[in-house]
mmCIF file with all atom_site columns, all heavy atoms in Angstrom:
data_model
loop_
_atom_site.group_PDB
_atom_site.id
_atom_site.type_symbol
_atom_site.label_atom_id
_atom_site.label_alt_id
_atom_site.label_comp_id
_atom_site.label_asym_id
_atom_site.label_entity_id
_atom_site.label_seq_id
_atom_site.pdbx_PDB_ins_code
_atom_site.Cartn_x
_atom_site.Cartn_y
_atom_site.Cartn_z
_atom_site.occupancy
_atom_site.B_iso_or_equiv
_atom_site.pdbx_formal_charge
_atom_site.auth_seq_id
_atom_site.auth_comp_id
_atom_site.auth_asym_id
_atom_site.auth_atom_id
_atom_site.pdbx_PDB_model_num
ATOM 1  N N   . THR A 1 78 ? 4.964  43.119 35.355 1.00 98.00 ? 1226 THR A N   1
ATOM 2  C CA  . THR A 1 78 ? 4.776  43.928 34.127 1.00 98.00 ? 1226 THR A CA  1
ATOM 3  C C   . THR A 1 78 ? 3.992  43.180 33.104 1.00 98.00 ? 1226 THR A C   1
ATOM 4  O O   . THR A 1 78 ? 3.052  43.662 32.440 1.00 98.00 ? 1226 THR A O   1
ATOM 5  C CB  . THR A 1 78 ? 6.146  44.374 33.586 1.00 98.00 ? 1226 THR A CB  1
ATOM 6  O OG1 . THR A 1 78 ? 6.863  45.017 34.615 1.00 98.00 ? 1226 THR A OG1 1
ATOM 7  C CG2 . THR A 1 78 ? 5.983  45.291 32.390 1.00 98.00 ? 1226 THR A CG2 1
ATOM 8  N N   . LEU A 1 79 ? 4.349  41.883 32.893 1.00 98.00 ? 1227 LEU A N   1
ATOM 9  C CA  . LEU A 1 79 ? 3.646  41.053 31.897 1.00 98.00 ? 1227 LEU A CA  1
ATOM 10 C C   . LEU A 1 79 ? 2.178  40.854 32.289 1.00 98.00 ? 1227 LEU A C   1
ATOM 11 O O   . LEU A 1 79 ? 1.268  40.952 31.455 1.00 98.00 ? 1227 LEU A O   1
ATOM 12 C CB  . LEU A 1 79 ? 4.372  39.711 31.720 1.00 98.00 ? 1227 LEU A CB  1
ATOM 13 C CG  . LEU A 1 79 ? 3.744  38.763 30.741 1.00 98.00 ? 1227 LEU A CG  1
ATOM 14 C CD1 . LEU A 1 79 ? 3.514  39.354 29.373 1.00 98.00 ? 1227 LEU A CD1 1
ATOM 15 C CD2 . LEU A 1 79 ? 4.632  37.504 30.609 1.00 98.00 ? 1227 LEU A CD2 1
ATOM 16 N N   . LEU A 1 80 ? 1.979  40.596 33.591 1.00 98.00 ? 1228 LEU A N   1
ATOM 17 C CA  . LEU A 1 80 ? 0.601  40.394 34.067 1.00 98.00 ? 1228 LEU A CA  1
ATOM 18 C C   . LEU A 1 80 ? -0.246 41.683 33.818 1.00 98.00 ? 1228 LEU A C   1
ATOM 19 O O   . LEU A 1 80 ? -1.375 41.607 33.449 1.00 98.00 ? 1228 LEU A O   1
ATOM 20 C CB  . LEU A 1 80 ? 0.590  40.019 35.582 1.00 98.00 ? 1228 LEU A CB  1
ATOM 21 C CG  . LEU A 1 80 ? 1.141  38.607 35.859 1.00 98.00 ? 1228 LEU A CG  1
ATOM 22 C CD1 . LEU A 1 80 ? 1.298  38.411 37.371 1.00 98.00 ? 1228 LEU A CD1 1
ATOM 23 C CD2 . LEU A 1 80 ? 0.297  37.496 35.252 1.00 98.00 ? 1228 LEU A CD2 1
ATOM 24 N N   . GLY A 1 81 ? 0.422  42.833 34.060 1.00 98.00 ? 1229 GLY A N   1
ATOM 25 C CA  . GLY A 1 81 ? -0.238 44.130 33.822 1.00 98.00 ? 1229 GLY A CA  1
ATOM 26 C C   . GLY A 1 81 ? -0.677 44.278 32.345 1.00 98.00 ? 1229 GLY A C   1
ATOM 27 O O   . GLY A 1 81 ? -1.775 44.714 32.058 1.00 98.00 ? 1229 GLY A O   1
ATOM 28 N N   . LEU A 1 82 ? 0.224  43.902 31.442 1.00 98.00 ? 1230 LEU A N   1
ATOM 29 C CA  . LEU A 1 82 ? -0.067 43.964 30.002 1.00 98.00 ? 1230 LEU A CA  1
ATOM 30 C C   . LEU A 1 82 ? -1.224 43.085 29.677 1.00 98.00 ? 1230 LEU A C   1
ATOM 31 O O   . LEU A 1 82 ? -2.178 43.453 28.956 1.00 98.00 ? 1230 LEU A O   1
ATOM 32 C CB  . LEU A 1 82 ? 1.145  43.579 29.180 1.00 98.00 ? 1230 LEU A CB  1
ATOM 33 C CG  . LEU A 1 82 ? 0.899  43.395 27.694 1.00 98.00 ? 1230 LEU A CG  1
ATOM 34 C CD1 . LEU A 1 82 ? 0.438  44.706 27.029 1.00 98.00 ? 1230 LEU A CD1 1
ATOM 35 C CD2 . LEU A 1 82 ? 2.183  42.908 26.954 1.00 98.00 ? 1230 LEU A CD2 1
ATOM 36 N N   . LEU A 1 83 ? -1.228 41.861 30.264 1.00 98.00 ? 1231 LEU A N   1
ATOM 37 C CA  . LEU A 1 83 ? -2.348 40.916 29.995 1.00 98.00 ? 1231 LEU A CA  1
ATOM 38 C C   . LEU A 1 83 ? -3.684 41.474 30.522 1.00 98.00 ? 1231 LEU A C   1
ATOM 39 O O   . LEU A 1 83 ? -4.714 41.346 29.841 1.00 98.00 ? 1231 LEU A O   1
ATOM 40 C CB  . LEU A 1 83 ? -2.032 39.532 30.600 1.00 98.00 ? 1231 LEU A CB  1
ATOM 41 C CG  . LEU A 1 83 ? -0.856 38.792 29.953 1.00 98.00 ? 1231 LEU A CG  1
ATOM 42 C CD1 . LEU A 1 83 ? -0.610 37.503 30.688 1.00 98.00 ? 1231 LEU A CD1 1
ATOM 43 C CD2 . LEU A 1 83 ? -1.120 38.541 28.471 1.00 98.00 ? 1231 LEU A CD2 1
ATOM 44 N N   . ASP A 1 84 ? -3.641 42.128 31.691 1.00 98.00 ? 1232 ASP A N   1
ATOM 45 C CA  . ASP A 1 84 ? -4.838 42.729 32.227 1.00 98.00 ? 1232 ASP A CA  1
ATOM 46 C C   . ASP A 1 84 ? -5.393 43.787 31.228 1.00 98.00 ? 1232 ASP A C   1
ATOM 47 O O   . ASP A 1 84 ? -6.591 43.864 30.983 1.00 98.00 ? 1232 ASP A O   1
ATOM 48 C CB  . ASP A 1 84 ? -4.564 43.397 33.566 1.00 98.00 ? 1232 ASP A CB  1
ATOM 49 C CG  . ASP A 1 84 ? -4.303 42.367 34.699 1.00 98.00 ? 1232 ASP A CG  1
ATOM 50 O OD1 . ASP A 1 84 ? -4.658 41.162 34.448 1.00 98.00 ? 1232 ASP A OD1 1
ATOM 51 O OD2 . ASP A 1 84 ? -3.780 42.729 35.726 1.00 98.00 ? 1232 ASP A OD2 1
ATOM 52 N N   . ASP A 1 85 ? -4.486 44.580 30.686 1.00 98.00 ? 1233 ASP A N   1
ATOM 53 C CA  . ASP A 1 85 ? -4.899 45.623 29.717 1.00 98.00 ? 1233 ASP A CA  1
ATOM 54 C C   . ASP A 1 85 ? -5.508 44.986 28.491 1.00 98.00 ? 1233 ASP A C   1
ATOM 55 O O   . ASP A 1 85 ? -6.535 45.441 27.996 1.00 98.00 ? 1233 ASP A O   1
ATOM 56 C CB  . ASP A 1 85 ? -3.702 46.491 29.290 1.00 98.00 ? 1233 ASP A CB  1
ATOM 57 C CG  . ASP A 1 85 ? -3.186 47.346 30.457 1.00 98.00 ? 1233 ASP A CG  1
ATOM 58 O OD1 . ASP A 1 85 ? -3.938 47.494 31.454 1.00 98.00 ? 1233 ASP A OD1 1
ATOM 59 O OD2 . ASP A 1 85 ? -2.038 47.855 30.336 1.00 98.00 ? 1233 ASP A OD2 1
ATOM 60 N N   . LEU A 1 86 ? -4.876 43.915 27.974 1.00 98.00 ? 1234 LEU A N   1
ATOM 61 C CA  . LEU A 1 86 ? -5.341 43.248 26.760 1.00 98.00 ? 1234 LEU A CA  1
ATOM 62 C C   . LEU A 1 86 ? -6.708 42.575 27.058 1.00 98.00 ? 1234 LEU A C   1
ATOM 63 O O   . LEU A 1 86 ? -7.612 42.600 26.193 1.00 98.00 ? 1234 LEU A O   1
ATOM 64 C CB  . LEU A 1 86 ? -4.332 42.255 26.267 1.00 98.00 ? 1234 LEU A CB  1
ATOM 65 C CG  . LEU A 1 86 ? -3.012 42.825 25.735 1.00 98.00 ? 1234 LEU A CG  1
ATOM 66 C CD1 . LEU A 1 86 ? -2.042 41.712 25.417 1.00 98.00 ? 1234 LEU A CD1 1
ATOM 67 C CD2 . LEU A 1 86 ? -3.241 43.727 24.519 1.00 98.00 ? 1234 LEU A CD2 1
#
Side-chain angles (χ1 to χ4, degrees):
T1226 306
L1227 178 53
L1228 292 172
L1230 170 62
L1231 294 177
D1232 290 343
D1233 292 345
L1234 295 173

